[in-house]
Amino acid sequence: MEKQHKKFSTQFQENYDYLFRKLGADINYDIIPYQLNVAGQPAAFFMVQGFVDDTVLAMLLSNISALSEMLPSVLFSALKEKYFPVSQIEIVEDLHHLIDGVLMGQTAFILDGISQGLLLDLRAFAARGPQEPDLEKVVRGSRDGFTETVVYNTQLIRRRIRDENLRTKMLQVGRRSKTDVCVAYIEDVANSHLVAMVLEKLQAIDIDGLPMAEKSVEELITPGMVWNPFPKVRYTERPDVAAEHLLEGHILVLVDTSPSVIILPATYFYHFQHAEEFRQSPLIGAYLRMVRMIAIFLSVFILPLWYLHIVEQGIAIPGSVSVFGQLMIAEIVVDIIRLAAIHTPSPLTTSLGLVAALLVGNLSVDLGLFSTHVVMYTAAAATASFATPSYELSMAHRIVRVLLLLAIFLAGHLGFWFAVLGVILFLASTKSFGIPYLWPLVPFHAKALKEIFFRTPISKQIYRPAILQPKNKVRQKPADLKDEKKWRK
């Protein structure tokens, strides 16, 4: 659907009637057309109820109420330059551009005798206050988080990065929704080719709307999303995490109505990191990271390795269903409990936990449906999966775990090793916006790989990730020449 265009007329009533009809002001209760006389000339405002700051609008009307008669051209210029105390005013020569502005929350102004209009930014969106995200809590650290309003989210980022090179480019995506999508990056740090690629992919989106916000954007700009469960971008609801990635040379994509910010590109190992590790001392942070790595490994392999041991040793496990059947049923039951927890009102979550523990756990064992070993190892795998910082990666690992169990059931230890090799080759062939997904393992980069597994002190984080090819590679001056020589080697 091509974008429509219609030029302004010099006749006020013709412009007014067209805007009134196109905006459906006679049907839509929230579209407000407000006619008035300004210095003896017919004029009108168009706005969406609830999107306008009433205090600023009242002050604006007070400024122009006592104006004496003057020519339309002189009046139009005076209003723009003197009597409309608004930081953002845009002169518009196309009526459909004016309509788009109104639907995005701006206030339109038209005047008799002028073949132009004004868009005034008087927006005051209703929004909840910044709160700590549920998925990324820290023991010690900031408690603010992104909200559903993109303007507030960019403010939270600028509060942490007060750099004149920080760029926040706004786009409108969706023919009908016209959703605000902001691309944020540091101009003298981020790779220009990567920035251009992201902007090109966003501008090429041709869809009617983005009701699912950031997830829709991810699927539309990231190829190969259908059959690849591994996340090629990282999500965060923490402004400090987003700011840290900007300083490394990453790009942020902020979608209005969503508190989750897209960080790209993102390799496999980027999903292992958590803000808590950097809120503790380097030694404690390194310990927490190692524990997290162990938990992630267990979430994928503890259940398949135990099942492989049972199959290879021919150990009999009690239960009215085969071991493989027990494992599959247990996996499905865990997912059912997870979904039930999401849809259960908060006051009833404790009751849900008790019901799940008694009915699914104790009674299934007592009735002989499940073995205690199956329940224990499934619970261990499920618990370990919650230690994965990225929810998307934990779900991908869940798929891999099921595939490994299926491979063992079909072909024993050969099936297990072929499945593991297949997953590794699949990840090695995957890229995130041109970046190898398994970097720094493939291609191998010893220094960067060490920093993935061991939390590096801030004083030692001298250079930005080389794989991003940033314009400015240096983050801070080395403490001494030895550090620089070691890195360059």
Side-chain angles (χ1 to χ4, degrees), residues 431-465:
K431 290 188 175 182
S432 171
F433 294 86
I435 302 300
Y437 196 58
L438 281 186
W439 184 87
L441 185 62
V442 180
F444 185 73
H445 192 297
K447 177 68 176 180
L449 189 62
K450 178 183 175 183
E451 292 186 351
I452 290 293
F453 289 96
F454 300 97
R455 195 281 219 195
T456 307
I458 299 297
S459 60
K460 299 293 184 180
Q461 298 177 14
I462 300 170
Y463 293 90
R464 296 183 173 90

Side-chain angles (χ1 to χ4, degrees), residues 31-262:
I31 299 295
I32 302 177
Y34 180 69
Q35 292 193 64
L36 69 164
N37 283 317
V38 181
Q41 304 293 335
F45 289 98
F46 281 87
M47 65 199 79
V48 178
Q49 185 179 21
F51 281 3
V52 180
D53 188 326
D54 294 335
T55 303
V56 178
L57 180 62
M59 181 176 62
L60 185 149
L61 293 174
S62 176
N63 288 347
I64 64 176
S65 61
L67 289 177
S68 57
E69 293 187 7
M70 62 180 74
L71 293 174
S73 59
V74 177
L75 175 61
F76 190 80
S77 178
L79 289 172
K80 177 183 179 297
E81 297 175 2
K82 183 177 180 181
Y83 293 101
F84 286 170
V86 182
S87 59
Q88 294 184 12
I89 299 181
E90 181 183 0
I91 297 178
V92 178
E93 298 183 354
D94 186 284
L95 282 165
H96 281 278
H97 187 171
L98 200 76
I99 292 170
D100 290 345
V102 172
L103 295 176
M104 287 188 289
Q106 295 175 292
T107 300
F109 175 80
I110 57 174
L111 182 69
D112 186 34
I114 300 297
S115 58
Q116 293 176 325
L118 293 178
L119 278 177
L120 315 176
D121 197 346
L122 309 179
R123 287 178 287 192
F125 294 121
R128 65 180 176 88
Q131 300 173 350
E132 185 176 18
D134 290 334
L135 293 177
E136 299 175 272
K137 290 185 177 181
V138 294
V139 175
R140 190 181 303 280
S142 60
R143 303 300 180 198
D144 57 348
F146 290 123
T147 70
E148 289 76 16
T149 307
V150 69
V151 176
Y152 291 172
N153 293 343
T154 55
Q155 291 175 0
L156 291 171
I157 293 173
R158 284 200 178 274
R159 186 180 179 187
R160 289 166 169 81
I161 303 180
R162 300 172 182 178
D163 185 1
E164 68 274 11
N165 291 299
L166 176 60
R167 300 289 179 258
T168 53
K169 185 174 179 62
M170 190 70 75
L171 309 170
Q172 275 72 49
V173 179
R175 296 189 303 269
R176 297 185 185 277
S177 68
K178 296 180 177 64
T179 306
D180 288 328
V181 178
C182 176
V183 179
Y185 59 95
I186 300 179
E187 191 171 38
D188 61 342
V189 173
N191 184 292
S192 300
H193 175 71
L194 184 60
V195 173
M197 180 197 302
V198 174
L199 290 173
E200 182 181 355
K201 286 180 178 291
L202 288 171
Q203 291 167 346
I205 293 176
D206 185 14
I207 194 171
D208 54 357
L210 300 173
M212 294 296 106
E214 82 292 345
K215 192 59 185 176
S216 300
V217 170
E218 179 198 354
E219 292 189 19
L220 290 168
I221 68 175
T222 307
M225 282 292 297
V226 178
W227 302 111
N228 189 347
F230 291 92
K232 295 183 180 180
V233 301
R234 181 181 176 184
Y235 289 103
T236 185
E237 296 183 28
R238 294 190 62 89
D240 50 0
V241 173
E244 174 64 24
H245 281 80
L246 277 177
L247 293 171
E248 287 185 352
H250 292 265
I251 298 172
L252 305 183
V253 178
L254 301 86
V255 184
D256 194 30
T257 73
S258 172
S260 298
V261 169
I262 297 174

Side-chain angles (χ1 to χ4, degrees), residues 353-417:
L354 292 174
V355 170
L358 292 175
L359 296 183
V360 180
N362 293 346
L363 290 182
S364 62
V365 173
D366 294 341
L367 293 174
L369 178 63
F370 284 160
S371 162
T372 54
H373 295 82
V374 171
V375 173
M376 182 187 71
Y377 283 105
T378 302
T383 303
S385 68
F386 290 122
T388 307
S390 168
Y391 178 75
E392 292 74 22
L393 184 63
S394 69
M395 294 305 295
H397 284 166
R398 194 170 186 79
I399 298 296
V400 172
R401 185 168 70 240
V402 172
L403 290 177
L404 293 179
L405 292 172
L406 181 61
I408 296 170
F409 174 73
L410 295 175
H413 72 277
L414 286 178
F416 171 78
W417 291 114

